[in-house]
Amino acid sequence: MRRRHPIPVPEPYVEPLALAAVDPAELEREAGLARLFELHYSSMLRLAVLLGADDPENVVAEAYYQIYRKWRRLRDVEAAEAYLRSTVCNLTRMRIRHLQVARKHVENPPEPPDETVASAESTALLRDDQRVLIDALQQLPARQREALVLRHWLGLKESEIAAAMGISCGSVKTHTSRGLAALTEAMEARR
């Protein structure tokens, strides 16, 4: 007769989040990020869309991941929103730049589809004047578009815009002025 070995009983499985509950700093980080997500996710998503991101959800997710990794090194938790905003701007800019380079190296670029499917964010902006304004905004150079979106959509001060874009206040004024002039011209040409 064969002797049966007792079935080994596995040790109790400890959930990773249960381990985090032991560390107060980890609890603070989780709570802070949850608050940040709850308060600012939709505005960061709209920011990425208005800046021209082709995949705004991934840009914003990456921005939250980066702030998650650097949470303990934040000097001021209150500055987390500004850091997040700056990260969304930088990631969008990098993504657009990457796509431009990738398109240059494609031998036979695909033809654009005849019908474009509007995202949920774009669908919310269906009014005719808004569509024209968004189209004109998308035609602006990236820096002008960023300056205008940060100034007029988010209502940031020049110093905050300069910090988010990594440029001087004088450059913010220049980009904002030129962008407004181009948008005004586009809207007047429509009338």
Side-chain angles (χ1 to χ4, degrees):
M1 179 183 246
R2 225 178 205 185
R3 187 177 210 192
R4 291 191 163 185
H5 294 286
I7 299 173
V9 177
E11 294 183 27
Y13 176 73
V14 178
E15 291 285 331
L17 288 177
L19 291 175
V22 176
D23 184 9
E26 189 65 25
L27 280 175
E28 178 188 336
R29 176 169 72 165
E30 295 291 329
L33 281 168
R35 275 191 312 275
L36 194 65
F37 185 86
E38 189 176 305
L39 293 172
H40 302 292
Y41 177 78
S42 60
S43 66
M44 293 301 144
L45 186 63
R46 286 188 195 105
L47 174 62
V49 167
L50 289 171
L51 292 178
D54 66 324
D55 193 1
E57 291 88 1
N58 281 340
V59 168
V60 174
E62 177 66 21
Y64 274 99
Y65 173 69
Q66 286 187 18
I67 200 168
Y68 174 80
R69 287 182 29 232
K70 297 177 182 178
W71 188 264
R72 291 183 183 157
R73 289 180 276 174
L74 284 177
R75 290 187 187 119
D76 181 16
V77 176
E78 298 301 317
E81 178 190 357
Y83 176 80
L84 185 64
R85 185 181 321 109
S86 179
T87 304
V88 168
C89 290
N90 289 335
L91 289 172
T92 301
R93 195 177 315 122
M94 287 172 26
R95 178 71 181 155
I96 290 170
R97 204 175 302 135
H98 168 76
L99 290 174
Q100 289 171 343
V101 170
R103 286 182 188 126
K104 285 181 184 177
H105 295 295
V106 173
E107 290 180 24
N108 295 322
E111 293 183 26
D114 294 327
E115 295 182 40
T116 57
V117 177
S119 67
E121 294 81 18
S122 297
T123 305
L125 304 170
L126 284 179
R127 290 184 46 211
D128 196 38
D129 284 344
Q130 289 175 330
R131 273 186 282 161
V132 171
L133 181 62
I134 296 296
D135 289 342
L137 186 64
Q138 295 299 327
Q139 300 304 314
L140 292 177
R143 291 296 193 163
Q144 290 178 14
R145 181 174 55 243
E146 284 180 42
L148 288 175
V149 168
L150 292 171
R151 174 70 182 110
H152 295 286
W153 186 75
L154 289 180
L156 299 182
K157 299 174 189 168
E158 286 177 2
S159 59
E160 294 172 320
I161 297 168
M165 293 177 66
I167 58 176
S168 69
C169 287
S171 295
V172 170
K173 290 178 185 179
T174 301
H175 290 310
T176 304
S177 174
R178 289 179 182 169
L180 279 175
L183 287 180
T184 301
E185 185 178 315
M187 294 305 284
E188 286 178 357
R190 182 180 179 323
R191 296 193 193 276

